[in-house]
Amino acid sequence: MKIFNTRNQLREYLDELSPIGQTIGFVPTMGALHEGHLSLLARSRGQTDVTVCSIFVNPTQFNDPKDLEKYPRPIASDTEKLEQACCDILFHPEVGEMYAGNEHWHLDIGELEHLLEGKFRPGHYQGVTQVVYKLFDIVKPDLAFFGQKDYQQFLVIQRMVDMLDLPVKLVMCPILREPDGLAMSSRNIHLSAKDRQHALVLSKTLDWLKNNFDRNRIAALQEECFDRINAEPGVHAEYFEITDGTDLHPANSKTQNIVALVAARVGNTRLIDNVILRSRAIVHGS
Ligand code: PAF
């Protein structure tokens, strides 16, 4: 695996590949890699000639400096995992390489960035679009792979790609879960053994909803799920919403693509999860 820390070196290397028609798959990450990330890499390797993974803990998408500080950065074991997963290229820049000074530009993608996660993490998606735009500009991927766990992030990035007409196709890959149902996340390592058990209420509630979904009882089901999560000791639900999967507006009995999304604090750790309840052509590239 080739490792690059500067954009110029990475670009020079990739420029040599394009004349020979190699397609580029890109998996942007913030490291602390788990099976979920590796499944994105496997997908990229299956669909493209060269897979680039980036590891960059992007400061502009953290609205809580403590969260940024404690974000795990196990670069040695991440590098080993990428080697084992036969990743072709790792891009691992320093903050100064990605941001020149105090940048303030922001792309207005409309209300999507202010709903759900956007309400609880103001500015988060401005940071995400900034860094993903920069990474796309450096890597120039044909396909870019993102996890369904960050469902709203996928919609936000798709909106950016559509608005700017960027020549990249986004692929949404399914959520990977631990055997007991917990959605894989880099943040799970912060859960104590007790919190880890309490956290299962998220996937159990989503599962229950999937099995009991009735499009004529959306408001009641949403309330029931929110209450179930809040009833779990040590768990505080921030939101539980049953939405139109295309724009995250509240779903109604006629909505075609329906997604339930949840965010909750479990002890000191904030977790998100979701389930697609009804789907008509929202999942890109699958
Ligand atoms: O999903 C993530 O890990 C990050 O938000 C991303 C897309 C790598 C941007 O920093």
Side-chain angles (χ1 to χ4, degrees), residues 16 18 33 50 68 77 88 91 151 175 192 229 234 258 274 277:
E16 283 170 20
S18 48
L33 303 178
V50 176
L68 172 61
S77 69
D88 299 298
F91 181 49
Y151 190 91
I175 299 176
S192 68
I229 288 169
I258 306 182
N274 66 73
L277 297 165

Side-chain angles (χ1 to χ4, degrees), residues 28-30 56 58 61 128 131-132 146 150 153 157:
T29 81
M30 297 207 298
F56 178 64
N58 173 36
Q61 70 188 75
V128 170
V131 79
V132 173
F146 295 88
D150 293 294
Q153 169 172 277
I157 296 170

Side-chain angles (χ1 to χ4, degrees), residues 105-114 126 129 159 163:
W105 66 272
H106 135 242
L107 181 72
D108 186 0
I109 54 147
E111 60 177 356
L112 196 50
E113 79 174 78
H114 303 296
Q126 293 179 25
T129 48
R159 181 75 49 95
M163 278 174 65

